[in-house]
Coordinates of all heavy atoms in Angstrom, one line a residue:
M219 N 1.5 9.4 -2.6 CA 0.3 9.2 -1.7 C 0.6 8.0 -0.8 O 1.3 7.1 -1.1 CB -0.9 8.9 -2.6 CG -2.2 9.2 -2.0 SD -3.6 8.9 -3.1 CE -3.6 10.5 -4.0
A220 N 0.0 8.0 0.4 CA 0.2 7.0 1.4 C -0.6 5.7 1.0 O -1.6 5.8 0.3 CB -0.3 7.5 2.7
T221 N 0.0 4.6 1.4 CA -0.6 3.3 1.1 C -1.5 2.8 2.3 O -1.1 2.9 3.4 CB 0.5 2.3 0.9 OG1 1.4 2.7 -0.1 CG2 0.0 0.9 0.5
A222 N -2.6 2.2 1.9 CA -3.5 1.6 2.8 C -2.9 0.5 3.5 O -1.8 -0.1 3.0 CB -4.8 1.2 2.1
T223 N -3.4 0.0 4.7 CA -2.8 -1.1 5.4 C -3.6 -2.4 5.2 O -4.8 -2.5 5.5 CB -2.9 -0.7 6.9 OG1 -2.2 0.5 7.1 CG2 -2.2 -1.8 7.7
P224 N -2.9 -3.4 4.5 CA -3.6 -4.7 4.3 C -3.2 -5.6 5.5 O -2.0 -5.6 5.9 CB -3.0 -5.2 3.0 CG -1.6 -4.6 3.0 CD -1.7 -3.2 3.7
T225 N -4.1 -6.3 6.1 CA -3.9 -7.3 7.1 C -4.5 -8.6 6.6 O -5.7 -8.8 6.6 CB -4.6 -6.8 8.4 OG1 -4.1 -5.5 8.8 CG2 -4.2 -7.8 9.5
V226 N -3.6 -9.5 6.3 CA -4.0 -10.9 5.9 C -4.5 -11.6 7.1 O -3.8 -11.8 8.1 CB -2.9 -11.6 5.2 CG1 -3.4 -13.1 4.8 CG2 -2.5 -10.9 3.9
Q227 N -5.8 -12.0 7.1 CA -6.4 -12.8 8.1 C -6.4 -14.3 7.9 O -6.4 -15.0 8.9 CB -7.9 -12.3 8.3 CG -7.9 -10.8 8.7 CD -9.3 -10.2 8.8 OE1 -10.2 -10.7 8.2 NE2 -9.4 -9.2 9.6
V228 N -6.5 -14.7 6.6 CA -6.5 -16.1 6.3 C -5.7 -16.2 5.0 O -5.9 -15.4 4.1 CB -7.9 -16.7 6.1 CG1 -7.9 -18.1 5.5 CG2 -8.8 -16.5 7.3
D229 N -4.9 -17.2 4.9 CA -4.2 -17.6 3.6 C -4.0 -19.1 3.7 O -3.1 -19.5 4.3 CB -2.9 -16.8 3.5 CG -2.2 -17.0 2.2 OD1 -2.7 -17.8 1.3 OD2 -1.2 -16.3 1.9
N230 N -4.9 -19.8 2.9 CA -4.7 -21.2 2.9 C -4.9 -21.7 1.5 O -4.8 -20.9 0.6 CB -5.8 -21.9 3.9 CG -7.2 -21.6 3.5 OD1 -7.5 -21.4 2.3 ND2 -8.1 -21.6 4.5
K231 N -5.0 -23.0 1.3 CA -5.1 -23.5 -0.1 C -6.4 -23.1 -0.9 O -6.4 -23.2 -2.1 CB -5.0 -25.1 -0.1 CG -6.1 -25.8 0.5 CD -5.9 -27.3 0.5 CE -7.1 -28.0 1.2 NZ -7.1 -29.4 1.0
T232 N -7.4 -22.6 -0.1 CA -8.6 -22.2 -0.8 C -8.8 -20.8 -1.0 O -9.4 -20.4 -2.1 CB -9.8 -22.7 0.1 OG1 -9.6 -24.1 0.4 CG2 -11.1 -22.4 -0.5
C233 N -8.3 -19.9 -0.1 CA -8.6 -18.5 -0.2 C -7.6 -17.6 0.6 O -6.8 -18.1 1.4 CB -10.0 -18.1 0.3 SG -10.2 -18.4 2.1
I234 N -7.7 -16.3 0.2 CA -6.9 -15.3 1.0 C -7.9 -14.3 1.4 O -8.7 -13.7 0.6 CB -5.8 -14.6 0.1 CG1 -4.9 -15.7 -0.5 CG2 -5.1 -13.6 0.9 CD1 -4.0 -15.1 -1.6
V235 N -8.0 -14.0 2.7 CA -8.9 -13.0 3.3 C -8.0 -11.9 3.8 O -7.2 -12.1 4.7 CB -9.8 -13.6 4.4 CG1 -10.7 -12.5 5.0 CG2 -10.6 -14.7 3.9
T236 N -8.2 -10.7 3.3 CA -7.4 -9.5 3.7 C -8.4 -8.4 4.1 O -9.3 -8.0 3.4 CB -6.5 -9.0 2.5 OG1 -5.8 -10.1 2.1 CG2 -5.6 -7.9 2.9
R237 N -8.1 -7.8 5.3 CA -8.8 -6.6 5.7 C -7.9 -5.4 5.2 O -6.7 -5.3 5.4 CB -9.0 -6.5 7.2 CG -9.7 -5.2 7.6 CD -9.8 -5.2 9.1 NE -10.2 -3.8 9.4 CZ -11.2 -3.5 10.3 NH1 -11.9 -4.5 10.9 NH2 -11.5 -2.3 10.6
W238 N -8.6 -4.4 4.5 CA -7.9 -3.2 4.0 C -8.4 -2.1 4.9 O -9.6 -1.8 5.0 CB -8.2 -3.0 2.6 CG -7.4 -3.9 1.7 CD1 -7.8 -5.1 1.2 CD2 -6.1 -3.6 1.1 NE1 -6.8 -5.6 0.4 CE2 -5.8 -4.7 0.3 CE3 -5.2 -2.6 1.2 CZ2 -4.5 -4.8 -0.3 CZ3 -4.0 -2.6 0.6 CH2 -3.7 -3.8 -0.2
D239 N -7.5 -1.3 5.5 CA -7.8 -0.1 6.3 C -7.1 1.1 5.6 O -5.9 1.1 5.4 CB -7.3 -0.3 7.7 CG -8.1 -1.4 8.4 OD1 -9.3 -1.3 8.6 OD2 -7.4 -2.4 8.9
F240 N -8.0 2.1 5.3 CA -7.5 3.3 4.6 C -7.8 4.6 5.5 O -8.9 4.8 6.0 CB -8.3 3.6 3.4 CG -8.3 2.5 2.3 CD1 -9.0 1.3 2.5 CD2 -7.6 2.7 1.2 CE1 -9.0 0.3 1.5 CE2 -7.6 1.8 0.1 CZ -8.3 0.6 0.3
K241 N -6.8 5.4 5.6 CA -7.0 6.8 6.1 C -7.5 7.6 4.9 O -7.3 7.1 3.7 CB -5.7 7.4 6.6 CG -5.1 6.6 7.8 CD -5.5 7.2 9.0 CE -4.8 6.6 10.2 NZ -5.8 6.1 11.3
P242 N -8.1 8.7 5.0 CA -8.5 9.5 3.9 C -7.4 9.7 2.9 O -6.3 10.1 3.3 CB -9.0 10.9 4.6 CG -9.4 10.4 5.9 CD -8.5 9.4 6.4
G243 N -7.7 9.5 1.6 CA -6.7 9.6 0.6 C -5.7 8.5 0.4 O -5.0 8.5 -0.6
E244 N -5.7 7.5 1.3 CA -4.7 6.4 1.1 C -5.3 5.5 0.0 O -6.4 5.5 -0.3 CB -4.6 5.6 2.4 CG -3.8 6.3 3.4 CD -3.5 5.5 4.7 OE1 -4.2 4.5 5.0 OE2 -2.5 5.8 5.3
E245 N -4.3 4.7 -0.6 CA -4.6 3.9 -1.8 C -4.0 2.6 -1.6 O -3.1 2.4 -0.8 CB -4.1 4.6 -3.0 CG -2.6 4.8 -3.0 CD -2.0 5.5 -4.2 OE1 -2.4 6.6 -4.4 OE2 -1.2 4.9 -4.9
T246 N -4.5 1.6 -2.4 CA -3.9 0.3 -2.5 C -2.6 0.3 -3.3 O -1.8 -0.6 -3.1 CB -4.9 -0.7 -3.1 OG1 -5.2 -0.3 -4.4 CG2 -6.1 -0.9 -2.3
G247 N -2.5 1.2 -4.2 CA -1.4 1.1 -5.2 C -2.0 0.3 -6.4 O -2.9 -0.5 -6.3
V248 N -1.4 0.6 -7.6 CA -1.9 -0.1 -8.8 C -1.6 -1.6 -8.7 O -0.5 -1.9 -8.3 CB -1.2 0.5 -10.1 CG1 -1.6 -0.2 -11.3 CG2 -1.5 2.0 -10.2
H249 N -2.6 -2.4 -9.0 CA -2.4 -3.9 -8.9 C -3.3 -4.6 -9.9 O -4.3 -4.0 -10.3 CB -2.6 -4.3 -7.5 CG -4.0 -4.1 -7.0 ND1 -4.4 -2.8 -6.5 CD2 -5.1 -4.8 -6.8 CE1 -5.6 -2.9 -6.1 NE2 -6.1 -4.1 -6.3
I250 N -3.0 -5.8 -10.2 CA -3.8 -6.7 -11.0 C -4.3 -7.9 -10.1 O -3.4 -8.5 -9.5 CB -3.1 -7.2 -12.3 CG1 -2.6 -6.0 -13.1 CG2 -3.9 -8.2 -13.0 CD1 -1.7 -6.4 -14.3
H251 N -5.5 -8.2 -10.1 CA -6.0 -9.3 -9.3 C -5.7 -10.6 -10.0 O -6.2 -10.8 -11.1 CB -7.5 -9.1 -9.0 CG -7.8 -8.1 -8.0 ND1 -7.9 -8.3 -6.7 CD2 -8.0 -6.7 -8.2 CE1 -8.2 -7.2 -6.0 NE2 -8.2 -6.2 -6.9
G252 N -5.0 -11.5 -9.3 CA -4.7 -12.8 -9.8 C -5.7 -13.9 -9.6 O -5.6 -14.9 -10.1
H253 N -6.7 -13.5 -8.8 CA -7.8 -14.5 -8.4 C -9.1 -13.8 -8.5 O -9.2 -12.6 -8.4 CB -7.7 -14.9 -7.0 CG -6.3 -15.5 -6.7 ND1 -5.9 -16.8 -7.1 CD2 -5.3 -15.0 -5.9 CE1 -4.7 -17.0 -6.6 NE2 -4.3 -16.0 -5.9
D254 N -10.2 -14.6 -8.8 CA -11.5 -14.1 -8.6 C -11.6 -13.6 -7.1 O -11.0 -14.2 -6.2 CB -12.6 -15.2 -8.8 CG -12.7 -15.6 -10.2 OD1 -12.2 -14.9 -11.2 OD2 -13.4 -16.6 -10.4
Y255 N -12.5 -12.6 -6.8 CA -12.6 -12.1 -5.5 C -13.9 -11.5 -5.2 O -14.6 -11.1 -6.0 CB -11.4 -11.1 -5.2 CG -11.5 -9.8 -5.9 CD1 -12.0 -8.7 -5.4 CD2 -11.0 -9.7 -7.3 CE1 -12.0 -7.5 -6.1 CE2 -11.1 -8.5 -8.0 CZ -11.6 -7.4 -7.4 OH -11.6 -6.2 -8.1
C256 N -14.2 -11.4 -3.9 CA -15.3 -10.7 -3.4 C -14.8 -9.6 -2.4 O -13.8 -9.8 -1.7 CB -16.3 -11.6 -2.6 SG -17.3 -12.6 -3.6
V257 N -15.5 -8.4 -2.4 CA -15.3 -7.4 -1.4 C -16.5 -7.2 -0.5 O -17.6 -7.2 -1.0 CB -14.9 -6.1 -2.2 CG1 -14.8 -4.9 -1.2 CG2 -13.6 -6.2 -2.9
V258 N -16.2 -7.1 0.8 CA -17.2 -6.9 1.8 C -17.0 -5.6 2.5 O -16.1 -5.5 3.3 CB -17.3 -8.0 2.9 CG1 -18.4 -7.8 3.8 CG2 -17.3 -9.4 2.2
P259 N -17.7 -4.5 2.1 CA -17.4 -3.2 2.7 C -17.9 -3.2 4.2 O -18.9 -3.8 4.5 CB -18.4 -2.3 1.9 CG -18.6 -2.9 0.6 CD -18.6 -4.4 1.0
L260 N -17.1 -2.7 5.0 CA -17.5 -2.6 6.5 C -18.2 -1.3 6.8 O -18.8 -1.3 7.9 CB -16.2 -2.8 7.3 CG -15.4 -4.1 7.1 CD1 -14.2 -4.1 8.0 CD2 -16.3 -5.3 7.3
L261 N -18.2 -0.3 6.0 CA -18.9 1.0 6.2 C -19.5 1.4 4.9 O -19.1 1.0 3.8 CB -17.8 2.0 6.6 CG -16.9 1.7 7.8 CD1 -15.8 2.7 7.8 CD2 -17.7 1.9 9.1
D262 N -20.4 2.3 5.0 CA -20.9 3.1 3.8 C -19.8 4.0 3.5 O -19.1 4.6 4.4 CB -22.2 3.9 4.1 CG -23.4 3.0 4.3 OD1 -23.3 1.8 4.0 OD2 -24.4 3.5 4.8
G263 N -19.6 4.3 2.2 CA -18.5 5.2 1.8 C -18.4 5.2 0.3 O -19.1 4.6 -0.4
V264 N -17.3 6.0 -0.1 CA -17.0 6.1 -1.6 C -15.6 5.8 -1.8 O -14.7 6.3 -1.1 CB -17.3 7.6 -2.1 CG1 -16.9 7.7 -3.5 CG2 -18.8 7.9 -1.9
L265 N -15.3 5.0 -2.8 CA -13.9 4.6 -3.2 C -13.7 5.2 -4.6 O -14.6 5.0 -5.4 CB -13.7 3.1 -3.1 CG -13.7 2.5 -1.8 CD1 -13.6 1.0 -1.8 CD2 -12.7 3.1 -0.8
K266 N -12.6 5.8 -4.8 CA -12.2 6.2 -6.2 C -11.4 5.1 -6.8 O -10.4 4.5 -6.2 CB -11.3 7.4 -6.1 CG -11.0 7.9 -7.6 CD -9.9 9.0 -7.6 CE -10.2 10.2 -6.7 NZ -9.2 11.3 -6.9
I267 N -11.8 4.6 -8.0 CA -11.2 3.6 -8.7 C -10.5 4.2 -9.9 O -11.1 4.9 -10.7 CB -12.2 2.5 -9.2 CG1 -13.1 2.0 -8.0 CG2 -11.5 1.3 -9.8 CD1 -12.4 1.4 -6.8
V268 N -9.2 3.9 -10.0 CA -8.4 4.5 -11.2 C -7.9 3.3 -12.0 O -7.2 2.5 -11.6 CB -7.2 5.3 -10.7 CG1 -6.5 5.9 -11.8 CG2 -7.7 6.4 -9.7
A269 N -8.4 3.3 -13.3 CA -8.0 2.3 -14.3 C -6.6 2.6 -14.8 O -6.1 3.8 -14.7 CB -9.0 2.3 -15.4
P270 N -6.0 1.7 -15.4 CA -4.6 1.9 -16.0 C -4.5 3.0 -17.0 O -3.5 3.7 -17.1 CB -4.3 0.6 -16.7 CG -5.1 -0.4 -16.1 CD -6.4 0.3 -15.6
D271 N -5.6 3.3 -17.7 CA -5.6 4.4 -18.6 C -5.9 5.8 -18.0 O -6.0 6.8 -18.7 CB -6.6 4.2 -19.8 CG -8.1 4.2 -19.3 OD1 -8.3 4.4 -18.1 OD2 -9.0 4.0 -20.1
G272 N -6.0 5.8 -16.6 CA -6.2 7.0 -15.9 C -7.7 7.4 -15.7 O -8.0 8.3 -15.0
T273 N -8.6 6.6 -16.3 CA -10.0 6.8 -16.1 C -10.3 6.6 -14.6 O -10.0 5.7 -14.0 CB -10.9 5.8 -16.9 OG1 -10.5 5.9 -18.3 CG2 -12.4 6.0 -16.7
E274 N -11.1 7.6 -14.0 CA -11.5 7.5 -12.6 C -13.0 7.4 -12.5 O -13.8 8.0 -13.2 CB -11.1 8.8 -11.9 CG -9.6 9.1 -11.9 CD -9.2 10.3 -11.1 OE1 -10.1 11.0 -10.5 OE2 -8.0 10.6 -11.0
T275 N -13.4 6.5 -11.6 CA -14.8 6.3 -11.3 C -14.9 6.3 -9.8 O -14.0 6.0 -9.1 CB -15.4 5.0 -11.9 OG1 -14.6 3.9 -11.4 CG2 -15.4 5.0 -13.4
L276 N -16.1 6.7 -9.3 CA -16.4 6.7 -7.9 C -17.4 5.5 -7.6 O -18.4 5.4 -8.3 CB -17.0 8.0 -7.4 CG -16.1 9.2 -7.5 CD1 -16.9 10.5 -7.1 CD2 -14.9 9.0 -6.7
G277 N -17.0 4.7 -6.7 CA -17.8 3.5 -6.3 C -18.5 3.8 -5.0 O -17.8 4.0 -4.0
E278 N -19.8 3.8 -5.0 CA -20.6 3.9 -3.7 C -20.6 2.5 -3.0 O -21.1 1.6 -3.6 CB -22.0 4.3 -4.0 CG -22.1 5.7 -4.5 CD -22.5 6.7 -3.4 OE1 -22.9 6.3 -2.3 OE2 -22.3 7.9 -3.6
M279 N -20.0 2.5 -1.8 CA -20.0 1.2 -1.1 C -21.0 1.3 0.0 O -21.2 2.3 0.7 CB -18.6 1.1 -0.4 CG -17.5 1.1 -1.4 SD -17.4 -0.4 -2.4 CE -17.6 0.4 -4.0
K280 N -21.7 0.2 0.2 CA -22.8 0.1 1.3 C -22.3 -1.0 2.2 O -21.9 -2.1 1.8 CB -24.1 -0.4 0.7 CG -24.7 0.7 -0.2 CD -25.1 1.9 0.6 CE -25.7 3.0 -0.3 NZ -25.8 4.3 0.5
A281 N -22.3 -0.7 3.5 CA -21.8 -1.6 4.6 C -22.5 -3.0 4.4 O -23.7 -3.0 4.2 CB -22.1 -1.0 5.9
R282 N -21.7 -4.0 4.4 CA -22.2 -5.4 4.4 C -22.9 -5.8 3.1 O -23.5 -6.8 3.0 CB -23.0 -5.7 5.6 CG -22.3 -5.5 6.9 CD -23.1 -5.6 8.1 NE -24.3 -4.8 8.1 CZ -24.3 -3.5 8.4 NH1 -23.3 -2.9 8.8 NH2 -25.5 -2.8 8.4
V283 N -22.8 -5.0 2.0 CA -23.3 -5.4 0.7 C -22.1 -5.8 -0.2 O -21.3 -4.9 -0.7 CB -24.1 -4.2 0.1 CG1 -24.6 -4.6 -1.3 CG2 -25.3 -3.8 1.0
S284 N -21.9 -7.1 -0.3 CA -20.7 -7.6 -1.0 C -20.9 -7.5 -2.5 O -22.0 -7.5 -3.1 CB -20.5 -9.1 -0.6 OG -20.4 -9.1 0.8
Y285 N -19.7 -7.5 -3.2 CA -19.7 -7.7 -4.7 C -18.6 -8.6 -5.1 O -17.6 -8.7 -4.4 CB -19.7 -6.3 -5.4 CG -18.4 -5.5 -5.1 CD1 -17.3 -5.6 -5.9 CD2 -18.4 -4.6 -4.0 CE1 -16.2 -4.9 -5.7 CE2 -17.2 -3.8 -3.8 CZ -16.2 -4.0 -4.7 OH -15.0 -3.2 -4.4
F286 N -18.7 -9.1 -6.3 CA -17.8 -10.1 -6.9 C -17.1 -9.4 -8.1 O -17.8 -8.7 -8.9 CB -18.5 -11.3 -7.3 CG -17.7 -12.3 -8.1 CD1 -16.9 -13.2 -7.4 CD2 -17.7 -12.3 -9.5 CE1 -16.1 -14.1 -8.2 CE2 -16.9 -13.1 -10.2 CZ -16.1 -14.1 -9.6
R287 N -15.8 -9.8 -8.3 CA -15.1 -9.4 -9.5 C -14.2 -10.6 -10.0 O -13.7 -11.3 -9.1 CB -14.2 -8.1 -9.3 CG -14.9 -6.9 -8.9 CD -15.6 -6.3 -10.1 NE -16.3 -5.0 -9.8 CZ -17.5 -4.9 -9.4 NH1 -18.3 -5.9 -9.2 NH2 -18.0 -3.7 -9.1
P288 N -14.1 -10.8 -11.3 CA -13.2 -11.8 -11.8 C -11.7 -11.5 -11.8 O -11.4 -10.3 -11.7 CB -13.7 -12.0 -13.2 CG -14.1 -10.6 -13.6 CD -14.7 -10.0 -12.4
A289 N -10.9 -12.5 -11.8 CA -9.5 -12.3 -11.9 C -9.2 -11.4 -13.1 O -9.9 -11.4 -14.0 CB -8.8 -13.6 -12.0
G290 N -8.1 -10.7 -13.0 CA -7.6 -9.8 -14.1 C -7.9 -8.3 -13.9 O -7.5 -7.5 -14.7
V291 N -8.8 -8.0 -12.9 CA -9.1 -6.5 -12.7 C -7.8 -5.8 -12.4 O -7.0 -6.3 -11.6 CB -10.1 -6.4 -11.6 CG1 -10.3 -4.9 -11.2 CG2 -11.5 -7.0 -12.0
H292 N -7.6 -4.7 -13.1 CA -6.3 -3.9 -13.0 C -6.7 -2.5 -12.6 O -7.4 -1.8 -13.3 CB -5.7 -3.9 -14.3 CG -4.3 -3.3 -14.3 ND1 -3.6 -3.3 -15.5 CD2 -3.5 -2.7 -13.4 CE1 -2.4 -2.6 -15.3 NE2 -2.4 -2.3 -14.0
H293 N -6.4 -2.1 -11.4 CA -6.8 -0.7 -10.9 C -6.0 -0.3 -9.7 O -5.1 -1.1 -9.2 CB -8.3 -0.8 -10.5 CG -8.6 -1.8 -9.5 ND1 -9.9 -2.1 -9.2 CD2 -7.9 -2.5 -8.6 CE1 -10.0 -3.0 -8.3 NE2 -8.8 -3.2 -7.9
N294 N -6.3 0.9 -9.2 CA -5.8 1.5 -7.9 C -7.1 1.9 -7.2 O -8.0 2.4 -7.8 CB -4.9 2.7 -8.1 CG -4.3 3.2 -6.8 OD1 -4.3 2.5 -5.8 ND2 -3.7 4.4 -6.9
V295 N -7.2 1.6 -5.9 CA -8.3 1.9 -5.1 C -7.9 3.0 -4.1 O -6.9 2.8 -3.4 CB -8.9 0.7 -4.4 CG1 -10.1 1.1 -3.6 CG2 -9.3 -0.4 -5.5
I296 N -8.7 4.1 -4.0 CA -8.3 5.2 -3.2 C -9.5 5.5 -2.3 O -10.7 5.6 -2.8 CB -8.0 6.5 -4.0 CG1 -6.8 6.1 -4.9 CG2 -7.6 7.7 -3.1 CD1 -6.5 7.1 -6.0
N297 N -9.3 5.8 -1.0 CA -10.3 6.3 -0.1 C -10.7 7.7 -0.4 O -9.9 8.6 -0.2 CB -9.9 6.1 1.4 CG -10.9 6.6 2.4 OD1 -12.1 6.9 2.0 ND2 -10.6 6.6 3.6
A298 N -11.9 7.9 -1.0 CA -12.3 9.2 -1.3 C -13.2 9.9 -0.2 O -13.8 11.0 -0.4 CB -13.2 9.1 -2.6
N299 N -13.2 9.3 0.9 CA -14.0 9.8 2.1 C -13.1 10.7 2.9 O -11.9 10.7 2.8 CB -14.5 8.7 3.0 CG -15.3 7.7 2.1 OD1 -16.4 8.0 1.7 ND2 -14.8 6.5 1.9
D300 N -13.7 11.6 3.8 CA -13.0 12.3 4.7 C -12.9 11.6 6.1 O -12.7 12.3 7.1 CB -13.6 13.8 4.8 CG -15.0 13.8 5.3 OD1 -15.6 12.7 5.6 OD2 -15.6 14.9 5.5
F301 N -13.1 10.3 6.1 CA -13.0 9.5 7.3 C -12.3 8.2 6.9 O -12.1 7.8 5.7 CB -14.4 9.2 7.9 CG -15.4 8.7 6.9 CD1 -15.5 7.3 6.6 CD2 -16.2 9.5 6.2 CE1 -16.4 6.8 5.7 CE2 -17.2 9.0 5.3 CZ -17.2 7.6 5.1
D302 N -11.8 7.5 7.9 CA -11.2 6.2 7.7 C -12.2 5.2 7.1 O -13.4 5.3 7.4 CB -10.6 5.6 9.0 CG -9.5 6.4 9.7 OD1 -9.0 7.4 9.0 OD2 -9.0 6.0 10.7
Y303 N -11.7 4.3 6.3 CA -12.6 3.4 5.6 C -11.9 2.0 5.6 O -10.7 1.9 5.5 CB -12.8 3.9 4.1 CG -13.9 3.1 3.5 CD1 -15.3 3.4 3.8 CD2 -13.7 2.0 2.7 CE1 -16.3 2.6 3.3 CE2 -14.7 1.2 2.2 CZ -16.0 1.5 2.5 OH -17.0 0.7 2.0
S304 N -12.8 1.0 5.6 CA -12.3 -0.4 5.6 C -13.2 -1.3 4.8 O -14.4 -1.1 4.8 CB -12.2 -0.9 7.1 OG -11.3 -0.2 7.9
F305 N -12.5 -2.4 4.2 CA -13.3 -3.4 3.6 C -12.5 -4.7 3.8 O -11.3 -4.7 4.1 CB -13.7 -3.2 2.2 CG -12.5 -3.0 1.2 CD1 -11.8 -4.1 0.7 CD2 -12.2 -1.8 0.8 CE1 -10.8 -4.0 -0.2 CE2 -11.1 -1.6 -0.2 CZ -10.4 -2.7 -0.6
V306 N -13.2 -5.9 3.6 CA -12.5 -7.2 3.6 C -12.6 -7.7 2.2 O -13.7 -7.6 1.5 CB -13.3 -8.1 4.6 CG1 -12.7 -9.5 4.4 CG2 -13.1 -7.6 6.0
E307 N -11.4 -8.2 1.7 CA -11.4 -8.8 0.4 C -11.1 -10.3 0.5 O -10.2 -10.7 1.3 CB -10.2 -8.1 -0.3 CG -9.9 -8.7 -1.7 CD -8.6 -8.0 -2.3 OE1 -7.5 -8.4 -1.8 OE2 -8.8 -7.2 -3.2
I308 N -11.9 -11.1 -0.2 CA -11.8 -12.5 -0.2 C -11.4 -13.0 -1.5 O -12.2 -12.9 -2.5 CB -13.1 -13.2 0.3 CG1 -13.5 -12.6 1.7 CG2 -12.9 -14.7 0.3 CD1 -15.0 -12.9 2.0
E309 N -10.2 -13.5 -1.7 CA -9.7 -14.0 -3.0 C -9.8 -15.5 -3.0 O -9.5 -16.2 -2.1 CB -8.2 -13.6 -3.2 CG -8.0 -12.1 -3.2 CD -6.6 -11.8 -3.3 OE1 -6.0 -11.7 -4.4 OE2 -5.9 -11.7 -2.2
F310 N -10.3 -16.1 -4.1 CA -10.5 -17.5 -4.3 C -9.4 -18.1 -5.1 O -9.2 -17.7 -6.2 CB -11.8 -17.8 -5.0 CG -13.0 -17.1 -4.2 CD1 -13.6 -16.0 -4.7 CD2 -13.5 -17.7 -3.0 CE1 -14.6 -15.4 -4.0 CE2 -14.5 -17.0 -2.4 CZ -15.1 -15.9 -2.8
K311 N -8.6 -19.0 -4.5 CA -7.5 -19.6 -5.2 C -7.9 -20.7 -6.2 O -8.9 -21.3 -5.9 CB -6.5 -20.2 -4.2 CG -5.8 -19.1 -3.3 CD -4.8 -19.8 -2.5 CE -4.0 -18.7 -1.6 NZ -3.1 -19.4 -0.7

């Protein structure tokens, strides 16, 4: 599967801000978050979240409705839409 495009916009002693751009079906790849983080969806859409055990869930994203997750989250994120999708991720160091 193709990989989404991360663009780091800020990386300083306080935070890392990354914009993620996905074509339909693109994914982040399996990863573990090393920092607490917030996600700011830029569009309404659906992301498929795949846990390490293979469990899949669909997350309904609402444009500009942010959410927080603690460090240690382990998953792969896949664009489940038939259109390009983007969000901004803010990691707290």
Side-chain angles (χ1 to χ4, degrees):
M219 205 175 276
T221 304
T223 303
T225 304
V226 176
Q227 298 177 334
V228 175
D229 188 351
N230 61 31
K231 66 181 181 173
T232 306
C233 67
I234 304 167
V235 178
T236 306
R237 178 180 168 135
W238 285 91
D239 293 298
F240 299 74
K241 300 265 185 231
E244 287 187 335
E245 62 183 59
T246 58
V248 176
H249 59 282
I250 300 173
H251 286 268
H253 306 286
D254 292 348
Y255 67 100
C256 283
V257 170
V258 183
L260 300 179
L261 305 165
D262 290 347
V264 177
L265 296 175
K266 183 191 309 184
I267 311 301
V268 183
D271 66 2
T273 302
E274 296 183 1
T275 57
L276 294 177
E278 290 263 347
M279 303 291 115
K280 294 293 179 192
R282 299 173 307 280
V283 177
S284 304
Y285 63 88
F286 172 86
R287 296 288 184 267
V291 172
H292 186 179
H293 60 192
N294 186 15
V295 178
I296 302 166
N297 179 5
N299 303 290
D300 61 0
F301 52 86
D302 292 359
Y303 191 80
S304 300
F305 62 78
V306 173
E307 175 185 77
I308 304 162
E309 300 174 89
F310 306 102
K311 293 183 178 178

